[in-house]
Amino acid sequence: MINALDVIEDENKREKRMEGVKMAADNSVFIGNKPFMNYVTAVVMQFTTKNSEEIIVKARGKFISRAVDVAEVATKRFLTDQAVIKNIKIDSEEFQNEQGKQIRVSSIEITLGRK
Amino acid sequence: MINALDVIEDENKREKRMEGVKMAADNSVFIGNKPFMNYVTAVVMQFTTKNSEEIIVKARGKFISRAVDVAEVATKRFLTDQAVIKNIKIDSEEFQNEQGKQIRVSSIEITLGRK
């Protein structure tokens, strides 16, 4: 028998593990400088407990390498039989920084889907 | 009339600009910590003077973000009408580091092709 309090406790633990990682309405997660495993946990839970069909791992600039790490660890280590990398897009936008200099910032979107 | 010495000089300048950037036999360039524009120049020249149909920008670990930057700057700024991003693959391999710890390193391969 499942104890209601146990479920609540589990839920709290999970929230703790993915602390500060926000999942957008379109099932995308934006990679920043929170602890690495928070992002992995957020992605894994999205497939396992939220039953999502697809999730998009997004990042800009130096966080692009990290987004690839998150996608790889989530699919190869935790979701081996459940999720795969479906699509990868890269892009960039040019804008003026505070010093008035034109700079270009790259971005990546990695779509993970059910196997 | 083209002066043979001018051509040689140009060739030397180009070699200087892409100093240390090695193009593999399969038209791939591996991104590391050489100056950023050396990689961009190597990619651009491969399309413009070497007439390649395809080139693969490869990187591992933290250099993945840089590989995306190189691909974006080369295609959007220098080869706007000539090259596009054709395909992107990510992968990772797990191995034991010097401290005997299992670590996973991600990699990326960005294929650029003629428009």
Side-chain angles (χ1 to χ4, degrees), chain A residues 61-66 68-73 76-77 85 88-94 104-108 110, chain B residues 61-66 68-73 76-77 85 88-94 104-108 110:
Chain A
K62 66 173 180 175
F63 293 112
I64 290 174
S65 308
R66 216 161 189 233
V68 173
D69 289 340
V70 168
E72 283 292 314
V73 169
K76 299 245 169 86
R77 192 163 145 208
I85 287 150
I88 308 165
K89 279 195 294 188
I90 64 173
D91 198 2
S92 62
E93 43 181 337
E94 210 175 26
R104 183 177 287 277
V105 175
S106 302
S107 58
I108 197 165
I110 307 168
Chain B
K62 65 173 179 174
F63 293 113
I64 289 174
S65 307
R66 218 163 187 233
V68 173
D69 289 340
V70 168
E72 283 292 313
V73 170
K76 299 245 170 85
R77 191 163 145 209
I85 287 150
I88 308 165
K89 279 195 294 190
I90 63 174
D91 198 2
S92 62
E93 43 182 337
E94 210 174 27
R104 183 178 288 276
V105 175
S106 301
S107 58
I108 197 165
I110 307 167

Side-chain angles (χ1 to χ4, degrees), chain B residues 70-114:
Chain B
V70 168
E72 283 292 313
V73 170
T75 55
K76 299 245 170 85
R77 191 163 145 209
F78 292 102
L79 300 164
T80 323
D81 301 317
Q82 292 167 74
V84 285
I85 287 150
K86 287 261 161 112
N87 194 33
I88 308 165
K89 279 195 294 190
I90 63 174
D91 198 2
S92 62
E93 43 182 337
E94 210 174 27
F95 57 89
Q96 219 169 28
N97 71 2
E98 285 166 3
Q99 286 77 45
K101 208 180 143 193
Q102 283 293 117
I103 55 163
R104 183 178 288 276
V105 175
S106 301
S107 58
I108 197 165
E109 291 190 12
I110 307 167
T111 306
L112 312 183
R114 270 191 201 285

Side-chain angles (χ1 to χ4, degrees), chain B residues 4-108:
Chain B
L5 266 176
D6 284 354
V7 174
I8 291 166
E9 207 174 77
D10 277 0
E11 195 69 42
N12 286 340
K13 271 189 213 151
R14 270 193 236 115
E15 292 298 326
K16 182 82 190 152
R17 255 183 287 141
M18 53 179 285
E19 211 163 70
V21 177
K22 285 190 194 74
M23 191 67 57
D26 67 342
N27 275 352
S28 67
V29 57
F30 203 80
I31 307 300
N33 49 24
K34 302 246 153 51
F36 182 74
M37 283 308 292
N38 293 27
Y39 296 107
V40 175
T41 309
V43 170
V44 172
M45 276 182 55
Q46 203 64 23
F47 279 109
T48 53
T49 75
K50 311 264 177 183
N51 245 359
S52 297
E53 279 306 309
E54 204 172 271
I55 140 156
I56 309 171
V57 178
K58 296 181 180 180
R60 277 160 60 94
K62 65 173 179 174
F63 293 113
I64 289 174
S65 307
R66 218 163 187 233
V68 173
D69 289 340
V70 168
E72 283 292 313
V73 170
T75 55
K76 299 245 170 85
R77 191 163 145 209
F78 292 102
L79 300 164
T80 323
D81 301 317
Q82 292 167 74
V84 285
I85 287 150
K86 287 261 161 112
N87 194 33
I88 308 165
K89 279 195 294 190
I90 63 174
D91 198 2
S92 62
E93 43 182 337
E94 210 174 27
F95 57 89
Q96 219 169 28
N97 71 2
E98 285 166 3
Q99 286 77 45
K101 208 180 143 193
Q102 283 293 117
I103 55 163
R104 183 178 288 276
V105 175
S106 301
S107 58
I108 197 165

